[in-house]
Amino acid sequence: MKGKFLFILAMLMIAFHLAGCTEEKKAAAPPPEVSVITIEPQTVPVTFEYVARTQSSHQVEIRARVSGFLDRRTYTEGAFVKERQVLFLMDKKPFQAQLNAMRGALAQQQARLQTARANLARVKPLAAQNAVSQKDLDDAIGMEQAAAAAVETAKAEVEQAQLNLSYCTITSPVTGISAEAMQKDGAYINPLNSQLTTVAVLSPMWVNFSLSENEVKGYRTQVASGQLRPPEGNDYIIEVVLVDGSIFPFTGRITFAAPSYDAQTGTFLIRASVNNPDSILRPNQYVRARMKGAVRPNAILVPQRAVQQGAKGHFLWVVTKEGKAELRAVVIGDWNGDNIFIDEGLRAGEQVVVDGGLTLNPGIPVTAKPFAAIQKPTDADKGSESGSAEIRK
C-alpha cells in the first residue's frame, strides 16, 4: 500500500509540474503580429460607372418620295455611304412623260398670255378714245390677268414634275453606315412601303446611360455636404469601356440630360457625345460609361480586406496608442479599386489592421508592422467607382 501511495504521489507531482510549464509557455507567448496602415485623409479622384448603350447621333430613314416602280439598288448593303451618294433608282419614264406634258401646258398658257396682252394693247387706246365700251376694256384686262395666272400655275406644275423626276434618284443625306434594303428591285413603292433603308452616322456616337432616383439623390446629398466635389461647370469626362474591358481611345462630354425621369423605369437619362473616327463603336452596342472629374476631399480609404461584417454591421480592428487591439464599428462608403471609403468611424492618425485581424480579441496586445502604402486610385483602376448602381452601403 505504501509503495502504491508513493507512486500516485509521484505521478501527481509530475502532472503539476507539466501544467506549470504549460502555463509558463502560455504566459511567455508573444503578442500576435498584425500589419497596419496609418490613416491619412487625402483628395481622391472619384469615378462613376454605369451600363450604357450606344446610339447613332444622326440616323436617317431613306424613303421614297414618289410612288412608282423601284428600278434598282445601287449601293452595297451594310457598306459605308457618302453624303449625296445614289442609293436607289426608280423608273423615271412616267415622271419624264409627266414633265413633258407639263412643259407643253406651260407653253400653251404662255401663248394665251401673249395673245391676251396683245389684245389688251389694242383695246386700251381705243377705250381712251371712247371707240370701245368700258366693258370691252375690262374684259381685256381680265383675260390678260387670267392668262398670267394660268402661266404661273403651269410653271408650278412644271416645277413639281421636275421635283418628282428628281425624286426618282434617291441619295443619302449623310455619310454613314447603311442598313439592308427593305424593298427589292422591281417592287412597287407607295406611301405604305416607302421606307427603303436607313443610314446611321457613326461619328460622333452617342452614349446613353441612366441614373436611378436613389443615385441622383445620393449624388446631390454628397455634393451638398461637401463629401463630393464635382468638376467645374459639371464638365465631366466620359470614358467608354468596351465589352472586353479595354478602354475606348476617345473620350467625350455630356451633351444632354433629360428634363424629367422616365415614367416607366424611374431613371434619369444622360447622353454623352464621343468621337468615333475609326467606327469601332456601332449603334445599339452595350458598353460601360465612366464619369470622371469629381473628387472626394479629405477621404479616408482602407483596403477592402481590412473591413469585416458582423451581425451589427461593418467593423475593423484598430491598434490603440497603448498597442492593444480595439474593435471599431464603421460606416463604409463605396469601393474605389481595391480600397473602400470609410464615411464614419475613423480619424486621421489612427492605425488600422489590414492583415491578422481574424485572430484578434478586444484589448489584447499586438505587435504592429507597417503595411504597404495605399496607392492613390488611377484612371486605369478597373471597377473604380463611387455612386455606381452596383455598390450599396
Side-chain angles (χ1 to χ4, degrees), residues 158-313:
V158 169
E159 185 176 355
Q160 182 62 54
Q162 289 174 332
L163 284 175
N164 290 340
L165 180 62
S166 68
Y167 293 155
C168 292
T169 302
I170 301 170
T171 62
S172 173
V174 295
T175 298
I177 189 74
S178 62
E180 73 280 3
M182 301 178 69
Q183 304 297 332
K184 303 302 180 183
D185 295 355
Y188 182 77
I189 308 301
N190 57 55
L192 298 179
N193 64 346
S194 61
Q195 184 172 349
L196 304 178
T197 188
T198 58
V199 176
V201 173
L202 297 185
S203 185
M205 182 68 72
W206 286 347
V207 178
N208 300 323
F209 55 95
S210 298
L211 282 67
S212 68
E213 189 173 354
N214 288 336
E215 287 172 330
V216 174
K217 184 177 183 300
Y219 170 82
R220 291 174 176 172
T221 300
Q222 291 184 34
V223 172
S225 64
Q227 194 175 20
L228 186 69
R229 189 167 63 215
E232 184 176 355
N234 285 323
D235 188 19
Y236 283 95
I237 297 173
I238 303 301
E239 184 178 75
V240 178
V241 184
L242 302 178
V243 66
D244 61 353
S246 61
I247 306 298
F248 185 67
F250 295 91
T251 59
R253 291 290 194 276
I254 294 175
T255 56
F256 173 76
S260 59
Y261 288 94
D262 188 290
Q264 296 181 345
T265 63
T267 56
F268 186 74
L269 175 66
I270 301 293
R271 174 185 297 160
S273 181
V274 180
N275 287 331
N276 185 34
D278 298 326
S279 304
I280 297 175
L281 297 177
R282 295 298 179 97
N284 299 319
Q285 181 178 347
Y286 281 100
V287 295
R288 298 187 72 84
R290 290 177 178 169
M291 288 176 53
K292 304 174 70 174
V295 296
R296 186 165 178 171
N298 299 318
I300 293 177
L301 278 175
V302 300
Q304 292 183 26
R305 65 175 181 267
V307 181
Q308 303 178 45
Q309 186 170 8
K312 296 183 179 180

Side-chain angles (χ1 to χ4, degrees), residues 46-121:
V46 176
T47 300
F48 301 85
E49 185 168 315
Y50 304 95
V51 176
R53 192 174 183 181
T54 58
Q55 178 187 353
S56 171
S57 58
H58 190 181
Q59 182 164 311
V60 182
E61 293 182 351
I62 307 300
R63 291 182 176 271
R65 303 177 71 172
V66 292
S67 297
F69 287 96
L70 183 63
D71 194 359
R72 68 181 185 275
R73 169 177 53 84
T74 60
Y75 77 102
T76 301
E77 294 174 297
F80 279 93
V81 296
K82 295 182 179 181
E83 184 178 356
R84 298 180 183 176
Q85 178 179 334
V86 178
L87 303 181
F88 296 92
L89 291 174
M90 297 185 66
D91 186 6
K92 295 182 179 181
K93 293 188 290 294
F95 300 97
Q96 184 64 57
Q98 185 180 21
L99 176 59
N100 294 338
M102 292 300 102
R103 284 174 175 170
L106 173 60
Q108 185 179 21
Q109 295 301 332
Q110 287 174 334
R112 290 177 178 175
L113 174 61
Q114 185 175 1
T115 301
R117 284 177 176 173
N119 183 53
L120 179 61

Side-chain angles (χ1 to χ4, degrees), residues 117-176:
R117 284 177 176 173
N119 183 53
L120 179 61
R122 288 192 298 269
V123 171
K124 276 186 177 181
L126 295 176
Q129 299 173 8
N130 292 323
V132 295
S133 66
Q134 184 65 35
K135 181 180 182 301
D136 292 335
L137 177 60
D138 293 340
D139 289 343
I141 293 175
M143 292 179 63
E144 190 273 341
Q145 291 178 344
V151 168
E152 295 301 320
T153 300
K155 286 182 178 180
E157 291 176 347
V158 169
E159 185 176 355
Q160 182 62 54
Q162 289 174 332
L163 284 175
N164 290 340
L165 180 62
S166 68
Y167 293 155
C168 292
T169 302
I170 301 170
T171 62
S172 173
V174 295
T175 298

